[in-house]
Amino acid sequence: MTTATTGYPVHVHARLEPGLSRWLWLVKWFLAIPHYLLLAFLWLGFALFSVAAFFAILFTGRYPRVLFDFNVGVLRWTWRVAYYTYGALATDRYPPFSLGEEPDYPATLDIAYPEHLSRGLVLVKWWLLAIPHYLIVGFFVGGGSYVAYQTGETVYNSGGLVGLMALFAGIALLFTGRYPQGLFDFVLGMDRWALRVAAYAGLMTDSYPPFRFDSGGDEAGTTTISQSPPPPAPPVRGWSPGRVTAVVIGALLLLTGGAIGGTGGFGLWADQTQRDSSGLLSTRPESFQGNGYAIEFGTLELRWTDADWVLADNWLGDVRLKADNGVFIGIGRTDDVRRYLSGVEHDEVSMTGDRITYWHRDGGAPSNPAAQTFWAASGTGEVTWRAEQGSWTAVVLNTDRSRGVDAGLAAQAEVPALRPVSIGLMIGGGVLFLAGLVLLVLAVAGAQRRSSGTTTSVT
């Protein structure tokens, strides 16, 4: 017996296995953790190869076969894990760690290799043309996770209606020991729709996904005929475990190097373009309002080596705090500041991103801040301080020591180390980026050589 499949070039098949465990589905999230970890890295390679395929299609009209085979393998692996876990819960057979077809596994995915793809469609199909499907798939799987495939950040999100139906199936298994056939057909229809959209968005076909709900384990247009099956095609062995590992490591190096190099580039850009006339870098002004007599700004920890490291004295350089009104600003060692504010009604400030949090401390009025001798730097409206090792705290008070402090503050710093550090980051990031690129190229070239002369087809 053999099965012939026609219709849409993305073929999703599955069979509901009998005798499913009543309770195993409760722990499949834990059992699948190794797959989740590996797929998280494999999707990095998928994302990078999709970008490479985008330009290859744009200039040549062809999706490089070796890249196509890898990305189809990632989709296959993902589909098998989803079928085992909460994208269907329809098998207890543990998914193989494989990019290959694995035809004996109860969930299979095949995508016909396109000999030619439109150069124009590649510019719009993965975002503009697929928007209607993204809305539908987002409802099915929750949050539009198949859109996130392009970022390499999401492996498989089984939330939404698919996750809810899989939960119902699990409950049915728990109490009856049976997976309702109608529920299985419905879940497979949603999974099939989502996988078709994933392949279309992944540039693997120009055939627009049909707005059609093909439920059940077999697709419409599948027929079974009695005949002797043809000899099996020799397997494509281009993507060996070693080459897949090289792709994963290369992708990590590429992304890490790009992030480090980009950080260095941003730092160099800031050093060259964002300094004021005094040569200082500035933060944007922030408004602070306290109900007490003072506002205390956390603790700044400055630590470097005891051997007077070359950057120690010049890491931050001069630091300046400027207020938009004539408040008193003092910077002192944290222990001294806390002793001064002990028993004083004040507000402690914590900043996380753009969020400002206040903690009010009860007490009385402070002594004259200008008369204190522990300040490392102090002034009215503006203060400049040379950064040193230790724990430091800034305090703002009204000059007349009245309650209710309201001030807009901006921080400035010389940061003379920014340029050499940025250049170092760019060099280090560039080395990692090139190393990752070399690994990817070698893996692709090796897979291409191994698979040359070997062909597979999907009909």
Side-chain angles (χ1 to χ4, degrees), residues 42-167:
L42 288 173
W43 276 102
L44 294 177
F46 182 97
L48 292 174
F49 283 172
S50 293
V51 173
F54 172 88
F55 288 103
I57 297 168
L58 184 63
F59 292 109
T60 69
R62 292 179 58 85
Y63 198 126
R65 183 58 186 261
V66 67
L67 304 186
F68 183 88
D69 290 342
F70 180 88
N71 283 358
V72 171
V74 175
L75 279 176
R76 284 177 179 144
W77 194 328
T78 301
W79 168 226
R80 290 192 292 259
V81 174
Y83 191 73
Y84 172 76
T85 58
Y86 305 100
L89 290 175
T91 182
D92 288 341
R93 181 176 169 185
Y94 198 70
F97 293 86
S98 169
L99 296 175
E101 296 181 19
E102 304 296 338
D104 59 333
Y105 194 76
T108 61
L109 169 68
D110 292 308
I111 303 176
Y113 177 71
E115 295 297 334
H116 178 78
L117 291 168
S118 169
R119 300 182 186 183
L121 279 178
V122 76
L123 296 171
V124 294
K125 67 181 181 181
W126 56 274
W127 64 280
L128 179 61
L129 299 183
I131 287 176
H133 282 287
Y134 289 156
L135 297 176
I136 297 171
V137 169
F139 175 70
F140 286 165
V141 302
S145 62
Y146 283 92
V147 181
Y149 274 160
Q150 295 302 302
T151 69
E153 296 175 359
T154 299
V155 175
Y156 186 89
N157 183 351
S158 58
L161 192 55
V162 168
L164 182 62
M165 295 298 103
L167 175 62

Side-chain angles (χ1 to χ4, degrees), residues 386-425:
R386 187 71 175 180
E388 300 177 23
Q389 289 195 71
S391 300
W392 302 92
T393 299
V395 180
V396 174
L397 305 92
N398 292 324
T399 53
D400 59 0
R401 288 180 282 169
S402 60
R403 294 179 75 252
V405 181
D406 187 352
L409 296 177
Q412 299 177 309
E414 185 180 7
V415 200
L418 181 60
R419 183 181 301 177
V421 168
S422 298
I423 293 174
L425 288 174

